[in-house]
Amino acid sequence: MRRLASVLLALTLVIQASATTPASPRIFPVAGPLEENPYAQAALRAAERILKEKIPAATTGAEAARTLPGFTKPFAFAENTQLLIWAFVTPGSPLHQDPAALQAIIRRMDLAALVYAGGSYFPLYPPKVDNHYNVFFFENFAFNLLALRTLAPGTIPSEVLARWEDLLRKGLAFQVNDPAGHENNGEYGLIPNIDLRYANLLALSAALTDVPRLRAKADALIETSARHLLPQGAFNYLGNENECFSYHESVVRDLARYHFLTGSARAAELIRKSRDYYPLSLEPGGVAEYATAPSWKMFWNGSGTTAGPEIVAHFAGDPVNRGIAAEQRRLNPQLAIVSPSTLLVTMGCYDAKAPTLPQPDNLIQPDANIGGLRGRFGRFAFFADARDRTNAFAPIHATRAPAAAMGAHLGRATYVGALVTDGPTRLQALNAAVLKVGSNVRFDPKKPLWQGSASLSHNSTDQVSLAGGHGALTARYGLGSSSFGPSFQPRAGWVGEEAWLFSRDHLLGFVAVEATEDSAPVEITGRITLGYGRAGPGLQPKTLQTLPENTFAYGDLRVRIVQTNYANLRVQDRSPHFREEAPTATEIVLHDGDAPAPARKGDRRFFVVEIYPAWAKPSASADALTLSPSGLVELKSADGTAALTFNPGPTAVTRAGTSRPLAPGRHELLVR
């Protein structure tokens, strides 16, 4: 590589002379002595475990591909190697300068390098398929190469380094400019967690190759990621979609890594601006909700996060984030579920002496990240999502136009969710959750429910209110379906209508679907989906129990059907809720029988549901809902302290006894 030796020699001398200056890369930042840093201790345990792993023998790319099959194993293999490199170059580590560790590093890097073929590290697939996995692989590989070149000069035989440099050179040729002259597939400014990996790959490659334009491209990607920062610290998952909790940690981690590698003040600023996300989004015990996530990313993973709040606390100086991290470390002292690259970043963010504060509790508060509300009352929490998700992001490159394929709307699976945790007692402390609530119009029984039905909302008119300890959300929307993750097909002829009233320990909701033209669907249903998590050893399965007065118990949650004009109700166990990949949910399904009559224009199916924790009592009366002749929907609390009036129709309506018209799709919340 051009000027490689002189550039890296200069880089090594700078690091040795001034390892704390912003201009020098902090490849492995560590805060405090190793023995006092829990993330460093976890990294040492993991490195010693990885050293004991048997490294498969392979002499050809085909053999290596069989050894490391699929999309994720090669880049995970390369990422795990980072821990061995860190332990090998770090004074005070039991593996410092250990010959066996060095031999394992060389063998692991060689095996990972063998998998590469023709622009891709997974040769069974065309190079342009899922190109972001290539980004993940080369980012890890380039990091390993820079770390060894910089922190262990002279320890790797020159012929071995030449092999690795050749791989990086070939990989960069495709990642930056592929054989067709196109810019990299991943660099389209739509998905921050991919773009930031690519930014780190470019920054690492700039350090290895002394090509200034690579660093300039990296800085540009930091700016494109800044476009995705939402008002209270979330980042869009894709386009203008909501955040998905599982990816937030990787976003702040990769921003932190970029800052440590380059000294970027902009990356540090973006982390500081994400300060509010974890305090808003995590419930007691580190439980995250996925009701507000994109419809194809509603994972409901059981475990929370330790590293993400630690990183944010370091950059923002925030005691609430530091308190969340401390609680999670107490529940997960071995830090067994923290990834290698995350450990290596977070160990530089730990501060045992930093003050901590608890999260806010006993309140309903606005959350601009979801354009709605969050309520938290001890172990019970709920969420109201009314954010406009219209996809306003254009791709950066004309040669890569994924936004055009996705369309302006990706569809919302639910407006509300709720959960009860078991508190900070264990990892995966989710007790039970309302995953989603909504209507479903099925047209094709031969397809899976999520593909053959109109259930996702789009083109909605939403409103959120907060007054006197009560909240409200109303929506009128079109319906559509999905064929794969980020896809959406509108379905004409149907509209959804919802009105929700929130109080301290109750959600009261009106959920309806109305035909705007004659139609003959296979089935029309109202669905309340309940779950206890997606996967993992800490899950505690729940079963639905039937109680009097149309009430159901699911763990510490209670669901009561207050009113409905559906004819029947069934309980569907092991109902697939995540693209039918994770059938751990239970659904309460309201329906009209096996052979419903065709729907005529103006036909409406609805239900009123009350959701509350086990320690509360049902409060909605049988007349909680009023459907006025003028078309208005009225919900009221049993104690009379709150009343919600909603106009779901297409024209303004004046309430009886008033002179003020209520505009289409708008509501009025009265609290006394």
Side-chain angles (χ1 to χ4, degrees):
M1 291 184 175
R2 186 181 57 180
R3 300 173 60 193
L4 178 62
S6 62
V7 169
L8 287 175
L9 176 60
L11 181 60
T12 302
L13 293 174
V14 169
I15 291 173
Q16 291 172 344
S18 180
T20 60
T21 62
S24 67
R26 295 177 63 194
I27 295 175
F28 293 124
V30 181
L34 294 183
E35 62 272 14
E36 297 177 9
N37 188 312
Y39 299 96
Q41 289 299 304
L44 287 174
R45 289 190 296 269
E48 291 177 336
R49 184 176 63 251
I50 291 168
L51 181 60
K52 295 175 183 178
E53 292 178 355
K54 183 179 179 180
I55 303 173
T59 58
T60 67
E63 289 176 353
R66 286 193 294 271
T67 300
L68 301 172
F71 292 109
T72 60
K73 285 190 177 180
F75 78 72
F77 190 78
E79 183 182 11
N80 286 342
T81 306
Q82 293 176 19
L83 291 175
L84 274 183
I85 296 171
W86 170 76
F88 177 76
V89 302
T90 300
S93 158
L95 299 181
H96 183 230
Q97 301 297 315
D98 182 80
L102 178 60
Q103 186 63 27
I105 290 166
I106 293 173
R107 291 187 62 196
R108 292 176 72 92
M109 289 285 283
D110 271 343
L111 182 63
L114 270 177
V115 182
Y116 178 85
S120 172
Y121 76 77
F122 40 98
L124 297 179
Y125 300 90
K128 294 181 183 178
V129 172
D130 281 320
N131 195 50
H132 58 277
Y133 287 108
N134 278 323
V135 174
F136 296 165
F137 171 78
F138 280 108
E139 189 260 351
N140 285 312
F141 195 86
F143 183 91
N144 295 348
L145 186 54
L146 180 64
L148 289 167
R149 273 291 200 180
T150 304
L151 303 177
T155 59
I156 307 296
S158 58
E159 67 274 14
V160 175
L161 276 177
R163 288 200 303 268
W164 298 346
E165 290 167 0
D166 184 60
L167 166 64
L168 184 63
R169 185 165 50 248
K170 291 177 179 177
L172 283 176
F174 180 78
Q175 293 298 312
V176 180
N177 288 291
D178 71 18
H182 297 152
E183 295 276 0
N184 173 269
N185 294 352
E187 190 201 356
Y188 42 65
L190 287 177
I191 308 178
N193 81 82
I194 296 175
D195 290 344
L196 290 169
R197 279 289 188 105
Y198 189 48
N200 275 303
L201 167 62
L202 293 170
L204 290 161
S205 302
L208 285 164
T209 63
D210 193 29
V211 179
R213 73 184 182 95
L214 296 179
R215 174 61 193 277
K217 287 167 69 70
D219 286 341
L221 276 172
I222 299 298
E223 287 304 319
T224 67
S225 298
R227 298 189 309 168
H228 292 276
L229 180 66
L230 296 172
Q232 288 187 268
F235 287 85
N236 300 123
Y237 166 68
L238 176 152
N240 195 35
E241 262 291 348
N242 280 6
E243 174 83 275
C244 174
F245 181 87
S246 290
Y247 296 94
H248 190 82
E249 182 175 275
S250 68
V251 169
V252 296
R253 175 203 66 205
D254 289 339
L255 284 168
R257 171 166 277 187
Y258 193 84
H259 169 77
F260 288 139
L261 288 171
T262 69
S264 168
R266 182 62 160 152
E269 178 190 15
L270 294 179
I271 300 173
R272 287 194 297 273
K273 288 184 175 180
S274 73
R275 181 187 61 188
D276 292 343
Y277 177 76
Y278 285 120
L280 276 171
S281 304
L282 271 177
E283 304 307 325
V287 175
E289 59 84 14
Y290 290 83
T292 63
S295 65
W296 70 100
K297 293 290 181 179
M298 299 176 73
F299 296 141
W300 284 96
N301 295 329
S303 57
T305 178
T306 306
E310 199 86 80
I311 293 169
V312 175
H314 170 75
F315 283 89
D318 182 60
V320 179
N321 276 283
R322 195 70 80 177
I324 294 171
E327 177 186 275
Q328 288 293 288
R329 283 199 315 275
R330 179 177 62 80
L331 299 175
N332 179 28
Q334 297 298 306
L335 298 172
I337 60 174
V338 182
S339 73
S341 59
T342 304
L343 281 174
L344 292 172
V345 168
T346 314
M347 66 173 64
C349 300
Y350 175 69
D351 184 352
K353 298 180 180 179
T356 64
L357 285 175
Q359 292 173 252
D361 197 0
N362 295 307
L363 77 170
I364 303 175
Q365 60 185 327
D367 182 352
N369 294 329
I370 59 174
L373 305 172
R374 290 188 183 273
R376 178 182 299 139
F377 296 92
R379 296 193 295 120
F380 178 63
F382 55 80
F383 337 100
D385 171 21
R387 186 173 163 271
D388 180 6
R389 304 186 189 184
T390 303
N391 191 7
F393 284 88
I396 290 178
H397 305 299
T399 55
R400 299 288 181 262
M406 292 185 296
H409 301 281
L410 301 183
R412 176 191 278 107
T414 184
Y415 279 89
V416 301
L419 62 81
V420 173
T421 82
D422 288 330
T425 57
R426 68 179 197 283
L427 282 177
Q428 306 220 23
L430 176 64
N431 179 285
V434 175
L435 311 183
K436 54 187 177 183
V437 182
S439 302
N440 185 290
V441 183
R442 190 165 194 175
F443 295 96
D444 190 345
K446 295 180 181 179
K447 291 183 178 180
L449 183 67
W450 68 280
Q451 291 181 321
S453 304
S455 62
L456 302 178
S457 68
H458 77 111
N459 196 27
S460 57
T461 301
D462 311 321
Q463 184 183 351
V464 175
S465 297
L466 182 61
H470 294 269
L473 178 151
T474 56
R476 176 184 170 88
Y477 50 87
L479 286 172
S481 59
S482 175
S483 60
F484 69 99
S487 71
F488 183 79
Q489 294 81 40
R491 184 83 190 202
W494 295 87
V495 295
E497 303 159 353
E498 297 191 32
W500 289 89
L501 188 59
F502 308 100
S503 59
R504 176 183 176 85
D505 48 15
H506 283 80
L507 288 72
L508 180 64
F510 164 82
V511 181
V513 61
E514 181 178 341
T516 58
E517 59 187 49
D518 292 352
S519 181
V522 174
E523 186 180 44
I524 305 171
T525 55
R527 291 174 177 263
I528 303 156
T529 308
L530 305 163
Y532 53 85
R534 180 185 175 200
L539 293 185
Q540 297 188 355
K542 303 295 187 298
T543 57
L544 194 71
Q545 299 177 348
T546 302
L547 304 178
E549 298 183 350
N550 293 319
T551 302
F552 299 88
Y554 189 81
D556 282 344
L557 275 177
R558 299 294 180 264
V559 176
R560 177 173 167 239
I561 307 300
V562 181
Q563 292 174 248
T564 184
N565 67 350
Y566 285 99
N568 298 292
L569 182 150
R570 67 174 183 263
V571 173
Q572 192 167 312
D573 240 349
R574 293 188 60 78
S575 178
H577 67 92
F578 167 61
R579 292 186 298 188
E580 309 212 351
E581 296 170 12
T584 59
T586 296
E587 284 194 301
I588 301 169
V589 182
L590 298 151
H591 63 101
D592 287 325
D594 296 331
R600 302 301 181 191
K601 180 179 180 180
D603 283 355
R604 175 196 267 169
R605 294 289 180 270
F606 73 86
F607 64 94
V608 177
V609 61
E610 183 181 21
I611 300 165
Y612 54 97
W615 51 87
K617 295 181 179 180
S619 66
S621 60
D623 61 350
L625 170 71
T626 300
L627 299 176
S628 72
S630 63
L632 295 178
V633 174
E634 299 178 2
L635 281 178
K636 61 182 179 181
S637 61
D639 59 5
T641 59
L644 174 66
T645 303
F646 170 49
N647 177 13
T651 60
V653 176
T654 300
R655 292 180 58 191
T658 72
S659 59
R660 299 192 311 275
L662 197 57
R666 307 299 289 176
H667 73 243
E668 185 177 62
L669 174 63
L670 297 177
V671 178
R672 68 172 192 180

